[in-house]
């Protein structure tokens, strides 16, 4: 996420609920889209590998992240999400359904999903009605029969998606959930806003493949993470678009957009597919900046190794969303981030692209590890910018150094944010400064090897601060714990290696 510059394909089964909707006037989707296995299979028959054990008990309401304890859920792992959206018009509620196929990691008497906003209609588990109660941002689901440990099951949640229900955060994100555009929508699910869009197991360390079925009015297009699998024109002219994420995605990195959109196909280094999605009337005005993507990919691949996903592209948002988002394989960049100064535009583009290595591919294990995602994105954004007409890295880092104790006081040390208003300057320049200090300490060559090892060894996995310190120490051939610990934790910023004249401004209470 970047705040303003001031700081195997699934089987597809058409659902047939539009006719039912028309007949009943109801808004609940009843189809299950594509799902794993027979939705009416009795989950009381354990899947191979399931075992008898402790009596069924409730799954935990969260995975215990100290900053956001209710994010994610215990007792199961999601195998696939299938999202159905029968979209109508900007700012207008519409029928929606989410199908989650999952595997129980304990014998479950009940389990939670993360779900907020919207209007809940009906929940089924393996086709049988389940009891569902909302408790804050938790949706507590009690199936008709307990689910054995190791059992696979399918949950379907029918609801009315309601873009008029918005959430506010006090950090750079501000508004999240459905974000309207003049003729459609984009979404902002960071950091824990997926629950405003679909029921989810919503923590950045948890990911699963997604299938999206999005139905649009005539004349509009839909896009989502991954590749277009099918486009079917329905009687009456509405069109159902099916996308497959191709790779697992954390809920916060989901993107989907609807509008009068142009798909601009290109090629990156090595012939990699690049696909931008742009509001029709912004195609020409953003072409110069968007055409830089192959150059940005080549520059980052030189430093971090191969781009970790199959395709990439920029979704230009015709919105006043104050942030750009590293939504996986399809970064959302608001138009204002592209239409101004070219140096700033490139910083935004390189920032979100860098996240595809750090943040998307290497996910954060806990929210306190966010510095690893945003710090890296800011570090490479600044490094690129220095080489392409922007502020020098040394100048930017010296300015950050001078304010670092104040930021520690205000926002917590880089690896210990003090509150869930995460997206503060300490997670950006304040965390890039830690990487800068590490580079000064170990030298360019060793730093480069640490960085490539980090994104290679943890590709497609979640990793945390201890993992980074251990990997850096191993690659450097010396224990960097005594060096990195005061940089990452505690109230005072240590001296900057190689810059004895740099000083930290004292903190004012
Ligand atoms: Zn970012």
């Amino acid at each position: 996420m970047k705040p303003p510059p001031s700081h195997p394909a699934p089987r597809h089964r058409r659902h047939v609920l539009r006719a039912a909707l028309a007949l009943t006037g109801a808004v609940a989707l009843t189809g299950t889209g594509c799902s794993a296995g027979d939705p009416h299979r009795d989950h009381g028959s354990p899947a191979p590998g399931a075992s008898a054990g402790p009596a069924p008990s409730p799954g935990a309401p969260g995975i215990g992240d100290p900053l956001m304890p209710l994010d994610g859920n215990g007792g199961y792992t999601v195998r696939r999400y299938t999202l159905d959206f029968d979209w109508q018009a900007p700012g207008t509620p519409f029928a929606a359904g989410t199908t989650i196929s999952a595997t129980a990691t304990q014998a479950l008497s009940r389990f939670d999903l993360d779900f907020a906003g919207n209007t809940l209609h009906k929940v089924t588990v393996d086709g049988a009605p389940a009891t569902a109660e909302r408790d804050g941002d938790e949706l507590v689901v009690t199936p008709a029969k307990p689910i054995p440990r190791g059992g696979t099951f399918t949950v379907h949640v029918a609801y009315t998606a309601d873009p008029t229900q918005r959430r506010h955060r006090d950090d750079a994100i501000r508004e999240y959930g459905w974000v309207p555009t003049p003729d459609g929508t984009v979404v902002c699910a960071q950091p824990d806003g997926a629950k405003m869009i679909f029921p989810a197991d919503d923590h950045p360390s948890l990911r699963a493949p997604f299938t999206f079925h999005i139905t649009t009015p005539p004349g509009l297009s839909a896009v989502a993470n991954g590749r277009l699998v099918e486009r079917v024109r329905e009687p009456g002219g509405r069109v159902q678009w099916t996308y497959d994420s191709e790779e697992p995605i954390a809920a916060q990195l989901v993107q989907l957009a609807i509008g009068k959109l142009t798909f601009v196909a290109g090629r990156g280094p090595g012939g990699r597919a690049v696909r931008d999605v742009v509001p029709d009337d912004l195609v020409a005005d953003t072409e110069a900046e968007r055409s830089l993507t192959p150059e940005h990919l080549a520059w980052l691949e030189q430093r971090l190794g191969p781009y970790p996903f199959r395709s990439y592209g920029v979704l230009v948002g015709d919105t006043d969303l104050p942030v750009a988002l590293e939504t996986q394989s399809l970064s959302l960049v608001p138009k204002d981030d592209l239409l101004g100064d070219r140096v700033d535009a490139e910083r935004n583009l390189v920032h979100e692209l860098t996240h595809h290595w750090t943040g998307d591919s290497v996910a954060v294990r806990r929210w306190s590890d966010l510095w690893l995602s945003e710090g890296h994105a800011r570090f490479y954004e600044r490094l690129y910018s220095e080489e392409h007409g922007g502020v020098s890295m040394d100048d930017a880092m010296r300015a950050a150094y001078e304010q670092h104790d104040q930021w520690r006081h205000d926002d917590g040390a880089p690896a210990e944010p003090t509150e869930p208003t995460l997206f503060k300057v300490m997670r950006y320049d304040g965390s890039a400064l830690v990487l800068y200090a590490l580079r000064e300490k170990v030298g360019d060559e060793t730093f480069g090897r640490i960085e490539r090892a980090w994104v290679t060894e943890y590709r497609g996995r979640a990793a945390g601060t201890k993992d980074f310190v251990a990997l850096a120490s191993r690659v450097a051939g010396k224990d960097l714990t005594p060096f990195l610990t005061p940089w990452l934790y505690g109230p005072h910023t240590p001296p900057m290696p190689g810059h004895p004249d740099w000083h930290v401004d004292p903190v004012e209470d």
Side-chain angles (χ1 to χ4, degrees):
M1 195 278 287
K2 180 152 189 310
S6 62
H7 331 279
R11 283 182 300 118
H12 174 67
R13 185 156 58 91
R14 294 286 310 282
H15 51 67
V16 289
L17 38 111
R18 235 71 62 189
L21 283 175
L23 286 173
T24 63
V27 290
L29 286 184
T30 55
T32 55
C34 100
S35 60
D38 177 354
H40 297 284
R41 186 180 59 76
D42 184 353
H43 60 242
S45 305
S51 59
S57 58
I63 66 167
D65 190 314
L67 283 167
M68 300 193 194
L70 295 178
D71 280 12
N73 303 284
Y76 62 92
T77 56
V78 175
R79 297 185 2 254
R80 178 173 287 275
Y81 293 91
T82 302
L83 310 184
D84 292 78
F85 297 119
D86 194 21
W87 194 82
Q88 301 296 327
T92 302
F94 55 95
T98 292
T99 305
I100 296 174
S101 56
T103 302
T105 55
Q106 69 177 68
L108 284 170
S109 58
R110 65 169 208 244
F111 58 89
D112 281 17
L113 297 168
D114 301 313
F115 191 48
N118 306 295
T119 305
L120 178 68
H121 295 302
K122 185 180 178 186
V123 179
T124 62
V125 177
D126 289 337
T131 303
E133 292 178 6
R134 302 185 79 158
D135 179 7
D137 289 353
E138 298 293 307
L139 177 61
V140 183
V141 178
T142 306
K145 294 167 64 174
I147 301 166
R149 180 168 184 260
T152 58
F153 60 102
T154 300
V155 191
H156 181 72
V157 179
Y159 60 104
T160 297
D162 189 350
T164 69
Q165 298 186 37
R166 304 287 292 277
R167 280 284 176 95
H168 177 84
R169 288 180 59 84
D170 287 333
D171 53 22
I173 299 239
R174 300 217 289 265
E175 296 273 336
Y176 61 111
W178 298 97
V179 178
T181 63
D183 51 22
T185 190
V186 295
V187 300
C188 174
Q190 273 191 36
D192 62 342
K195 62 168 78 84
M196 296 294 292
I197 303 161
F198 59 96
D201 195 17
D202 190 5
H203 187 274
S205 65
L206 305 172
R207 45 188 149 188
F210 278 73
T211 302
F212 305 85
H213 303 296
I214 306 166
T215 307
T216 58
L220 298 186
S221 299
V223 68
N225 315 80
R227 83 189 161 93
L228 179 63
V229 175
E230 191 175 34
R231 184 173 53 186
V232 177
R233 189 170 299 279
E234 301 186 337
R238 288 175 66 80
V239 176
Q240 188 189 63
W241 308 68
T242 298
Y243 284 86
D244 178 70
S245 68
E246 299 191 291
E247 280 130 335
I249 308 184
Q252 65 148 355
L253 298 176
V254 162
Q255 184 54 261
L256 62 99
I258 295 161
K260 292 176 182 167
L261 303 172
T262 297
F263 293 69
V264 185
R267 292 284 167 194
R272 183 182 305 286
V274 172
R275 175 204 59 184
D276 293 337
V277 182
V278 191
D280 292 350
D281 55 2
L282 292 169
V283 173
D285 289 348
T286 59
E287 202 274 335
E289 289 74 21
R290 290 185 294 99
S291 67
L292 297 165
T293 293
E295 187 184 319
H296 297 160
L297 277 164
W299 188 89
L300 280 165
E301 288 192 334
Q302 197 179 347
R303 284 154 185 83
L304 296 175
Y307 173 75
F309 300 101
R310 292 184 200 180
S311 64
Y312 186 68
V314 169
L315 168 65
V316 178
D318 189 357
T319 163
D320 59 1
L321 188 74
V323 294
L325 300 172
E326 64 273 28
T327 42
Q328 191 168 302
S329 79
L330 183 66
S331 291
L332 173 64
V333 183
K335 62 180 180 184
D336 288 348
D337 284 359
L338 296 175
L339 297 177
D341 175 72
R342 174 170 166 155
V343 170
D344 288 342
E346 287 206 78
R347 280 186 58 185
N348 290 316
L349 290 164
V350 171
H351 181 101
E352 305 312 333
L353 182 55
T354 305
H355 270 307
H356 281 70
W357 282 264
T358 64
D360 289 17
S361 174
V362 184
V364 295
R365 190 187 300 285
R366 290 292 180 268
W367 276 115
S368 56
D369 302 317
L370 182 63
W371 76 275
L372 283 163
S373 174
E374 297 298 351
H376 276 106
R378 176 56 59 89
F379 182 86
Y380 288 99
E381 160 201 340
R382 286 206 174 279
L383 201 59
Y384 179 92
S385 191
E386 175 183 63
E387 295 177 15
H388 296 81
V391 173
S392 90
M393 189 79 167
D394 287 349
D395 288 352
M397 292 296 98
R398 181 172 189 149
Y401 188 80
E402 288 171 357
Q403 300 174 78
H404 213 243
D405 266 10
Q406 186 68 50
W407 296 344
R408 281 177 192 257
H409 177 268
D410 295 344
D411 305 338
E416 49 184 4
T418 46
E419 51 179 328
T421 50
L422 292 163
F423 295 91
K424 301 290 192 69
V425 67
M426 183 51 110
R427 253 43 74 192
Y428 292 88
D429 276 340
S431 297
L433 186 69
V434 178
L435 298 171
Y436 180 88
L438 176 61
R439 193 182 68 170
E440 296 297 290
K441 172 77 173 172
V442 301
D444 282 357
E445 191 273 333
T446 300
F447 180 75
R449 285 193 290 118
I450 290 169
E451 292 290 274
R452 283 187 295 280
W454 176 245
V455 298
T456 303
E457 293 190 20
Y458 288 102
R459 177 177 174 165
R461 298 161 61 192
T465 302
K466 284 182 184 168
D467 300 316
F468 185 80
V469 174
L471 177 141
S473 299
R474 198 192 74 226
V475 173
K478 60 182 168 192
D479 184 7
L480 290 166
T481 311
F483 174 73
L484 285 170
T485 298
W487 274 98
L488 292 165
Y489 302 97
H492 297 297
T493 299
M496 177 62 76
H499 297 278
D501 59 320
W502 287 18
H503 72 278
V504 179
D505 279 349
V507 178
E508 297 166 18
D509 275 311

